Amino acid sequence: MSETQTETQTETAAEREAALGGIGCDKQRKEDARFIRGQGNYVDDIKLPNMVFGDFVRSPHAHARIKSIDAEKAKAVPGVIAVLTADDLKPLNLHWMPTLAGDTQAVLADEKVHFQNQEVAFVIAEDRYAAADGIQLVEVEYEELPVLIDPKAALEDDAPILREDVKDNDEVGQGPRRHPNHIFNWQSGDKDATDRAFDGAAVTVMEEMFYQRVHPAPIETCGCVASMDPVGGRLTLYGTFQAPHVVRTVVSLISGLAESNIRVVSPDVGGGFGNKVGPYPGYVCAVVGSIVLGRPVKWIESRIDNISTTAFARDYHMSCELAADKDGRITGLRANVLADHGAFNTHAQPMKWPAGFFNIVTGSYDIPAAHVTVDGVYTNKAPGGVAYRCSFRVAEAAYLIERMLDVLAQKVGVDKAEIRLRNFIKAEQFPYQSCLGWEYDSGDYTTALKQAMAAVGYDDLRKEQAEKRARGELMGIGIATFTEIVGAGPSRNCDILGIKMFESCEIRVHPTGSAIARLGTKSTGQGHETTYAQIIASEIGIPSDLITVEEGDTDTAPYGLGTYGSRTTPVGAAAAVRAGRKIREKAKKIAAHMLEVSESDLEWDVDRFTVKGVPDLSATMKDIAMAAYSNLPEGLEPGLEVVDYYDPPNMTYPFGAYICVVDIDRHTGEVSVRKFYALDDCGTRINPMIIEGQVHGGLTEAFAIAMGQEIVYDEIGNVLGASLLDYFLPTAVETPHWETDFTVTPSPHHPIGAKGVGESPNVGGVPALSNAIVDAFAHLDVTHMPMPHTAWRVWQTCHELGIDK
Ligand code: CDP
């Protein structure tokens, strides 16, 4: 027996387990050692020898024909090396690029511009300043065209055609289109059954809601460094990528370079939130620039470029009807959506789902019949349609159903918690088949809401509200009991460009008993280096401190589809668990050889295999690791390394019960969030401290969206408010205090029962806040108020009601 074993012999199993720092412990984040010292390595920190800088000439117009581009003066600026236009990219067939949604997007505007700040020319210079000077001197002559900002107007018969390049092409919408500005029509559910539910309904309600256009606001904007080795013919692309392998494949497809000659590296990334999934013109121009010049080219967005041109989110014009019996039990749901996708259809979601997972819109409620239609439309706005900290349109769906429950409660005169309790899918109904086609894996919504109501003292709050109303004061209580759908996804219905959305993990155990794990996901701040190590520690019995986690380098990580839509835990973590279990299987063979027993005589005990009935006879994982390279049974190959590719059988369905209390000043419209309680259930909890951090962050973004964020355009397509002076990014000063809580309902199909969590607070937080604000006016017969709930807008409601004086 080894020394190690003698040292640890006296420790109890519980002590050994604690020493692992595995699943369930509040382990401090490993990555923070570098982040809090300012030692992160972000893309703009990358400085390569001979590197040059690229920046864009952008269109001042939202819709215009380009009559000419004259770059002579720009080229004369000292330091300017080259100016690329669409004409330069045409011979390479790179002036347009495919989008992840089956459309094409102009890399540099080809004859026409379709939105303000669209990329028109790429100026490459020795430094950023020369590039900025060059941009000013590129002369572009435009002929302005009529602008379409309203998606409804875009579908009128005489509306100007925006995308002349695809006006007769049904491929862009993956199906028939009814107007040149129409992209797709997508339907889900049973129309006839839904019509029947409405025909016989005792009560119906209807509301129109607009989930405004917002933009994820990561601290770090998008950027890249493209470095083509002119001798070896190998391209290295460093960038802010949430899905580096997908970028490698796309770059290979559009450049014609062999994928083996492309290395994509995501270094540290300062927040993604869906903004950094898809490809952008800057990446293509930097790559072309580097190939042409034989020098590394860096492109880093400004904040205004980021907010006004890279992927936006939401912009869903929704109408919804509910049918119910007289007690408020819902019998049918109809939802129709006009989805403004901007100038190019560049939404980033699984190919089969043009409206993402919007058909999770029946939410946490047992609704027998539903029918949903979504129409995508082109307008003269920036392209996108990404999942801003949510899973592919679940945010829009949750907002709609959670608001509609309140609308229905007001109509039938039932308390807003009670209406939810009446309509919930019951714990015993899981796995639950929704009428829109999803199989919810697990949930216990009633327990969660009751726990939340008890924690905030719900009945007392309602009493206080009644007293305040009697005094003319405005106090609102908002509830959201949402269900998320995360973990794209099962290969039968989730792919990107035909590639199935599995996830991968490779583990290598080193001879001296430490390990490295590499994964196809990519952290943009969620703490993956810590939590993956915790999971693997629990599976293989090596302390998490001794497990290095690497993501983001396509030369080393196994192929994966990246991080967005809370895929990490449902898909990536499952791959990590399974890879760990494969390590353990091989380790067992080695242990049997070391202990001279058969495998069936061994049992796993935290960090070692023990001979059944003889607890003193054991082989620790540390000893097994060395034996894997030095003392193997006959016929077993050396080493202790595995790769696992995990194709999930289903999504996971985390859920939450949020309660928010607001006080509103009727003279100014100012809203003060007095209390916000968030109960989240994400199944098995890997690191409770990280979960709490995720919830705080997500709620803060929800607060931003509900209270202030909106990308607004004027009638000629000028984007108003694309800087952080105008676009609301809450600081610690404005952000309310968050109270967190949890229940644990494990997922039955996930290897450790875990579900995602990072997006739940954004998905559930927005309707909780919005519901609270509308609830403050519910006694005055207000059923809906548009987001964002700025003081000005709330005051307008007070003014219209005559209560502002
Ligand atoms: O895909 P993404 O990392 O954005 O989302 P996630 O799966 O919700 O995970 C966010 C962070 O929370 C990761 O560090 C997870 O490991 C952690 N987490 C956890 O500790 N326990 C869970 N049940 C879910 C997430």
Side-chain angles (χ1 to χ4, degrees):
M1 290 300 102
S2 74
E3 281 172 39
T4 319
Q5 194 194 342
T6 317
E7 278 164 24
T8 57
Q9 242 164 16
T10 50
E11 286 175 342
T12 64
E15 284 166 340
R16 285 187 282 120
E17 192 153 347
L20 288 182
I23 292 173
C25 80
D26 279 333
K27 207 169 164 43
Q28 291 206 338
R29 294 176 13 136
K30 289 181 175 196
E31 41 274 82
D32 287 347
R34 62 180 188 280
F35 293 149
I36 60 174
R37 289 176 174 83
Q39 298 297 315
N41 182 36
Y42 297 91
V43 69
D44 206 15
D45 293 323
I46 293 168
K47 295 178 178 66
L48 301 180
N50 230 2
M51 188 170 75
V52 292
F53 298 82
D55 207 346
F56 284 107
V57 175
R58 295 180 180 276
S59 169
H61 304 292
H63 197 197
R65 219 168 281 291
I66 297 176
K67 298 186 76 179
S68 65
I69 302 178
D70 182 350
E72 288 315 307
K73 285 186 190 149
K75 286 182 188 160
V77 171
V80 169
I81 301 163
V83 179
L84 300 179
T85 65
D87 283 343
D88 300 309
L89 300 183
K90 271 179 194 166
L92 306 166
N93 201 23
L94 284 175
H95 52 311
W96 289 82
M97 63 179 183
T99 73
L100 297 181
D103 195 359
T104 49
Q105 172 175 4
V107 172
L108 290 172
D110 180 23
E111 297 175 16
K112 247 177 96 165
V113 289
H114 293 89
F115 65 95
Q116 191 183 49
N117 284 356
Q118 185 178 341
E119 300 81 359
V120 174
F122 192 63
V123 176
I124 303 175
E126 293 291 346
D127 60 49
R128 286 163 205 243
Y129 308 100
D133 290 344
I135 285 168
Q136 303 300 325
L137 295 178
V138 175
E139 292 171 341
V140 187
E141 198 186 336
Y142 296 97
E143 176 195 324
E144 288 185 58
L145 296 169
V147 173
L148 278 173
I149 290 307
D150 175 2
K152 291 188 193 86
L155 292 180
E156 281 167 14
D157 288 345
D158 57 350
I161 295 174
L162 302 188
R163 290 286 304 280
E164 288 157 30
D165 56 305
V166 293
K167 66 179 181 338
D168 303 316
N169 178 355
D170 279 350
E171 294 295 305
V172 289
Q174 301 166 46
R177 299 158 67 204
R178 63 170 192 265
H179 186 289
N181 296 332
H182 182 232
I183 310 174
F184 63 83
N185 171 267
W186 181 74
Q187 304 203 15
S188 177
D190 184 335
K191 185 173 183 312
D192 293 340
T194 308
D195 288 346
R196 282 196 298 278
F198 275 86
D199 287 344
V203 180
T204 61
V205 285
M206 199 267 181
E207 200 69 61
E208 303 224 331
M209 299 181 188
F210 175 48
Y211 201 139
Q212 75 274 22
R213 175 176 276 239
V214 289
H215 194 282
I219 299 279
E220 180 199 28
T221 59
C222 299
C224 71
V225 177
S227 178
M228 184 73 191
D229 168 7
V231 179
R234 201 152 197 260
L235 172 71
T236 305
L237 182 62
Y238 305 89
T240 49
F241 310 129
Q242 289 181 236
H245 282 97
V246 177
V247 172
R248 189 184 71 186
T249 302
V250 171
V251 171
S252 173
L253 288 173
I254 65 179
S255 69
L257 287 172
E259 214 166 330
S260 55
N261 269 340
I262 303 168
R263 176 183 173 209
V264 175
V265 182
S266 283
D268 287 328
V269 180
F273 313 116
N275 183 228
K276 296 171 179 170
V277 176
Y280 293 124
Y283 306 157
V284 179
C285 289
V287 168
V288 172
S290 183
I291 292 173
V292 172
L293 300 174
R295 297 173 69 175
V297 178
K298 180 183 274 191
W299 165 71
I300 303 287
E301 274 181 336
S302 72
R303 179 60 61 185
I304 290 176
D305 295 347
N306 179 260
I307 296 183
S308 65
T309 70
T310 55
F312 76 90
R314 323 293 197 244
D315 216 341
Y316 257 31
H317 298 257
M318 307 182 278
S319 75
C320 188
E321 294 166 86
L322 293 180
D325 68 16
K326 65 176 182 11
D327 300 320
R329 283 193 185 79
I330 304 168
T331 51
L333 175 150
R334 258 191 216 127
N336 297 304
V337 179
L338 203 53
D340 186 340
H341 280 235
F344 307 103
N345 189 23
T346 63
H347 67 75
Q349 43 213 8
M351 293 293 278
K352 189 183 167 215
W353 304 98
F357 300 153
F358 184 76
N359 61 336
I360 192 78
V361 67
T362 51
S364 308
Y365 312 103
D366 188 13
I367 301 178
H371 185 245
V372 171
T373 67
V374 181
D375 286 285
V377 181
Y378 289 126
T379 58
N380 291 118
K381 297 179 188 166
V386 297
Y388 171 4
R389 202 171 185 150
C390 73
S391 190
F392 316 120
R393 305 291 188 184
V394 63
E396 291 88 327
Y399 169 72
L400 189 66
I401 186 66
E402 290 303 321
R403 280 269 47 250
M404 286 307 293
L405 260 282
D406 276 20
V407 173
L408 178 64
Q410 285 181 215
K411 172 95 178 211
V412 292
V414 172
D415 177 83
K416 288 168 181 170
E418 176 58 29
I419 196 110
R420 288 172 164 80
L421 292 166
R422 280 184 199 174
N423 283 289
F424 275 151
I425 302 160
K426 305 285 179 292
E428 57 276 15
Q429 287 176 273
F430 291 92
Y432 172 81
Q433 190 67 44
S434 89
C435 67
L436 291 176
W438 299 109
E439 186 184 289
Y440 294 26
D441 58 350
S442 64
D444 185 352
Y445 307 144
T446 304
T447 300
L449 178 55
K450 287 192 169 162
Q451 186 167 319
M453 290 167 73
V456 300
Y458 184 75
D459 294 339
D460 290 342
L461 285 171
R462 284 285 176 209
K463 276 187 206 128
E464 182 193 342
Q465 184 187 42
E467 287 158 18
K468 289 209 155 145
R469 282 179 176 171
R471 293 201 296 270
E473 293 172 33
L474 295 172
M475 168 186 166
I477 303 167
I479 304 174
T481 44
F482 62 95
T483 290
E484 257 258 73
I485 168 170
V486 301
S491 65
R492 66 178 178 281
N493 59 15
C494 289
D495 72 275
I496 289 182
L497 299 172
I499 298 168
K500 306 293 186 188
M501 296 185 72
F502 54 79
E503 211 36 77
S504 60
C505 175
E506 176 199 87
I507 301 177
R508 296 180 177 186
V509 179
H510 308 311
T512 48
S514 58
I516 183 164
R518 295 188 168 114
L519 298 106
T521 49
K522 172 63 201 164
S523 181
T524 53
Q526 302 92 321
H528 293 181
E529 288 168 47
T530 309
T531 47
Y532 278 135
Q534 288 182 254
I535 293 167
I536 295 167
S538 287
E539 291 298 330
I540 68 174
I542 288 177
S544 54
D545 283 340
L546 299 182
I547 300 172
T548 301
V549 172
E550 258 187 32
E551 300 173 298
D553 185 338
T554 58
D555 264 10
T556 53
Y559 202 104
L561 276 286
T563 291
Y564 41 86
S566 270
R567 299 182 71 242
T568 299
T569 304
V571 201
V577 171
R578 286 163 34 115
R581 289 180 186 171
K582 284 183 184 170
I583 290 277
R584 223 158 74 184
E585 268 170 43
K586 184 166 181 189
K588 192 174 190 184
K589 292 187 197 315
I590 301 169
H593 171 71
M594 291 165 73
L595 296 165
E596 296 175 359
V597 295
S598 83
E599 280 185 60
S600 58
D601 291 329
L602 293 176
E603 61 190 1
W604 178 248
D605 176 21
V606 182
D607 57 354
R608 64 195 59 190
F609 282 102
T610 304
V611 178
K612 286 178 191 162
V614 195
D616 287 347
L617 208 52
S618 61
T620 64
M621 205 55 198
K622 186 173 164 68
D623 295 335
I624 296 168
M626 182 55 85
Y629 298 87
S630 62
N631 173 22
L632 285 151
E634 195 70 28
L636 194 67
E637 66 181 39
L640 200 46
E641 303 185 359
V642 302
V643 186
D644 186 81
Y645 281 80
Y646 178 69
D647 179 5
N650 192 3
M651 309 279 181
T652 67
Y653 297 76
F655 59 94
Y658 292 0
I659 300 183
C660 167
V661 185
V662 298
D663 296 300
I664 298 177
D665 183 331
R666 64 190 170 88
H667 305 291
T668 63
E670 243 170 283
V671 176
S672 145
V673 179
R674 187 205 307 177
K675 187 175 200 58
F676 199 110
Y677 165 94
L679 178 152
D680 275 284
D681 191 319
C682 56
T684 303
R685 291 152 55 86
I686 298 155
N687 183 323
M689 184 202 69
I690 285 186
I691 292 174
E692 189 171 7
Q694 292 288 303
V695 174
H696 281 213
L699 289 176
T700 305
E701 279 181 326
F703 175 70
I705 292 170
M707 306 308 289
Q709 291 190 341
E710 183 170 22
I711 308 283
V712 185
Y713 292 80
D714 70 11
E715 67 282 4
I716 55 164
N718 292 310
V719 52
L720 309 175
S723 84
L724 293 184
L725 286 175
D726 307 289
Y727 190 69
F728 180 44
L729 200 65
T731 66
V733 176
E734 300 90 6
T735 303
H737 174 71
W738 310 119
E739 290 170 44
T740 58
D741 200 352
F742 64 96
T743 52
V744 177
T745 314
S747 166
H749 63 79
H750 187 277
I752 53 168
K755 305 178 179 185
V757 76
E759 302 176 346
S760 295
N762 190 328
V763 170
V766 171
L769 284 153
S770 201
N771 281 350
I773 290 155
V774 181
D775 184 65
F777 296 89
H779 59 302
L780 304 170
D781 287 338
V782 175
T783 51
H784 185 65
M785 291 161 68
M787 286 196 293
H789 302 291
T790 57
W792 162 239
R793 284 211 171 143
V794 176
W795 177 82
Q796 281 177 310
T797 302
C798 297
H799 184 63
E800 280 157 21
L801 293 167
I803 58 168
D804 56 320
K805 293 280 175 337

